[in-house]
Amino acid sequence: MTMLRFMTAGESHGPCLTAILEGLPAGLKLDEAAINRDLARRQGGYGRGGRMKIEKDKVQVVSGVRFGRTLGGPVTLQVVNRDYANWGGRMAPFGEPEGPKVTAARPGHADLTGVMKYDREDVRDILERSSARETTMRVAVGAVCKEFLRALGITVVSQVLEIGGVKADPAKIDRTKLGGEDTSEVGCLDADAAAKMREAIDAAKKKGDTLGGVFEVTVRGVPAGLGTHIQWDRRLDAKIAAAMMSIQAIKGVEIGAGFLCGSLPGSQIHDEVFLGTDGMPYRKTNRAGGLEGGMSNGEEIVVRAAMKPIPTLMQPLNSVDVESHEEVSACKERSDTCAVQAAAVVGEAMMAFVISEAICEKFGSDAICDLKRAIRAYEERIRKGWCER
Ligand code: EPS
């Protein structure tokens, strides 16, 4: 059984969004402002649509926390959808719906298959839950997990590396600036590429098109030995990949050198290990992305994910109508031109959750003081000679 788990609920234009996070140790200090900061970051980014002008996502913590400290019980988080005030007639739990049904499915969205699978006549019954608005709660959960990790000296940061084919130049990226304030509006640390990314988003918007991209998530300060080689479903790399892939619109995940591993010889891929003056092993490179044998190896964990362009196009693609069964142009919903920067914030959140879960599994999670002591004892054992003899 997993030590830490969460579930989200809510529709994009329903009354509110909810998440329940269970398994965090008691006694952890939480800061409401830190959760709201990440919620605001998720709402930002160049190329967002009209909805983000309506919503001012703010968390309400309704269980599991008392005067700023966790109690050990489920933490329930809620964010009100301000737009529900305009959507009550279409989204109320009871009564008769107002307005026409949505029937023209969008290619690339859950619309068509969802209607068939769940036997729904209105595409809205599918799109309301499949919408990336759900990631609001993942970010809230992730922000809580980040607080937990921060208490243990672990940080999770992200950057955008590519939007619509415009790539950041790795030579122009100062990795010490990772996690700082995003002044580029696209989450990219290469200022030249960031300017071109914004231009690409403007051009796509003008054409009624949308753009995807690539973001990277980095975790610093992770102890070696999270996850295990023992069983497939307990490997940390597998859990990270699944968590990233679970984010709406993600189509590819790479760890460390990723797909490059398929083309270079072993001598150019594996990170050589050296002995430091303190008698501890270290690596000069990190092509493994901090993960070997399904376990964290103590280096930074580095993961990239590719996001496809948002499927709602203002110049719609050919599709089918689920009511008339005719070929039609896909429906037009208000949407974003590009949300890669927001997806990077969601990526941080999912990463923070997976690392937190791995920590709770390895070190126990009743009380934060016991957990900290268990980590110290483990690190001391390794420092003393790797194995206890
Ligand atoms: C989103 C809210 C949605 C979309 C977007 C993300 O709001 P609305 O549908 O009211 O415009 O802007 O959702 C999608 C990209 C999607 O495909 O559903 C949010 O809060 O991030």
Side-chain angles (χ1 to χ4, degrees):
M1 173 136 135
T2 52
M3 304 286 289
L4 187 68
R5 54 189 179 161
F6 79 92
M7 198 180 257
T8 70
E11 282 74 43
S12 180
H13 303 94
C16 78
L17 302 163
T18 309
I20 299 181
L21 172 64
E22 187 192 65
L24 274 184
L28 172 69
K29 208 162 163 262
L30 285 187
D31 179 10
E32 201 178 22
I35 306 173
N36 287 332
R37 252 194 317 275
D38 267 1
L39 289 177
R41 287 175 65 224
R42 193 204 73 91
Q43 286 201 271
Y46 199 74
R48 302 304 303 275
R51 178 73 183 273
M52 292 306 113
K53 293 191 182 82
I54 299 168
E55 303 298 342
K56 295 272 168 301
D57 295 339
K58 290 264 180 300
V59 75
Q60 277 179 283
V61 180
V62 295
S63 84
V65 181
R66 191 163 169 251
F67 301 111
R69 297 252 178 205
T70 55
L71 301 173
V75 175
T76 306
L77 307 162
Q78 284 189 334
V79 172
V80 166
N81 283 322
R82 284 183 163 201
D83 213 10
Y84 182 64
N86 309 314
W87 282 73
R90 280 171 284 182
M91 290 303 295
F94 300 104
E96 289 302 317
E98 287 168 10
K101 286 186 276 194
V102 179
T103 55
R106 288 161 299 172
H109 221 284
D111 299 356
L112 182 58
T113 310
V115 159
M116 292 174 179
K117 177 175 164 73
Y118 290 96
D119 184 28
R120 309 311 306 149
E121 286 173 12
D122 189 344
V123 171
R124 180 154 305 286
D125 289 352
I126 304 303
L127 69 85
E128 283 290 334
R129 180 64 190 153
S130 66
S131 165
R133 176 114 188 101
E134 183 263 350
T135 60
T136 307
M137 297 327 292
R138 304 212 210 183
V139 168
V141 164
V144 172
C145 292
K146 277 191 200 171
E147 292 279 286
F148 169 59
L149 295 177
R150 204 171 298 131
L152 308 174
I154 301 168
T155 49
V156 183
V157 291
S158 69
Q159 61 174 324
V160 169
L161 294 176
E162 187 176 337
I163 286 180
V166 179
K167 290 186 178 88
D169 176 356
K172 291 190 191 159
I173 293 173
D174 176 0
R175 289 183 67 82
T176 62
K177 297 246 165 72
L178 272 177
E181 210 187 316
D182 173 30
T183 50
S184 74
E185 291 181 274
V186 282
C188 178
L189 291 174
D190 169 354
D192 297 333
K196 290 195 186 104
M197 287 173 183
R198 289 193 298 269
E199 279 168 24
I201 293 168
D202 287 339
K205 189 172 182 185
K206 230 183 213 165
K207 284 193 274 178
D209 215 337
T210 56
L211 295 180
V214 176
F215 66 82
E216 182 180 89
V217 179
T218 300
V219 196
R220 291 173 166 155
V222 203
L226 298 184
T228 174
H229 62 292
I230 297 288
Q231 200 60 261
W232 69 272
D233 58 346
R234 295 175 58 204
R235 296 179 70 101
L236 188 61
D237 46 6
K239 288 187 182 187
I240 290 171
M244 292 298 151
M245 201 53 121
S246 78
I247 301 168
Q248 291 82 337
I250 299 304
K251 282 297 199 185
V253 180
E254 272 192 335
I255 293 176
F259 277 78
L260 195 62
C261 295
S263 41
L264 292 179
S267 56
Q268 289 174 46
I269 284 294
H270 299 296
D271 304 303
E272 290 187 277
V273 187
F274 301 90
L275 264 188
T277 46
D278 59 355
M280 293 301 287
Y282 74 97
R283 300 158 184 87
K284 294 177 185 169
T285 54
N286 186 18
R287 289 182 287 260
L291 290 152
E292 288 174 306
M295 293 174 279
S296 59
N297 65 8
E299 305 291 334
E300 285 185 353
I301 292 181
V302 184
V303 174
R304 281 179 296 281
M307 181 189 199
K308 69 180 180 182
I310 284 166
T312 310
L313 305 187
M314 293 307 137
Q315 284 290 336
L317 299 173
N318 197 72
S319 189
V320 288
D321 188 289
V322 299
E323 194 166 62
S324 68
H325 291 203
E326 282 164 356
E327 283 193 9
V328 291
S329 285
C331 70
K332 284 193 252 179
E333 284 265 320
R334 169 188 60 196
S335 191
D336 310 307
T337 308
C338 179
V340 180
Q341 186 267 359
V345 180
V346 184
E348 286 176 24
M350 292 309 291
M351 179 68 93
F353 170 76
V354 174
I355 301 297
S356 300
E357 196 228 334
I359 288 194
C360 290
E361 184 187 271
K362 174 140 180 63
F363 299 107
S365 58
D366 289 338
I368 188 79
C369 61
D370 292 337
L371 187 146
K372 283 185 178 173
R373 205 170 290 125
I375 295 178
R376 274 201 301 275
Y378 171 72
E379 287 179 340
E380 194 183 300
R381 186 219 348 124
I382 290 176
R383 226 179 2 256
K384 271 190 177 158
W386 309 359
C387 312
E388 196 167 83
R389 293 197 177 82

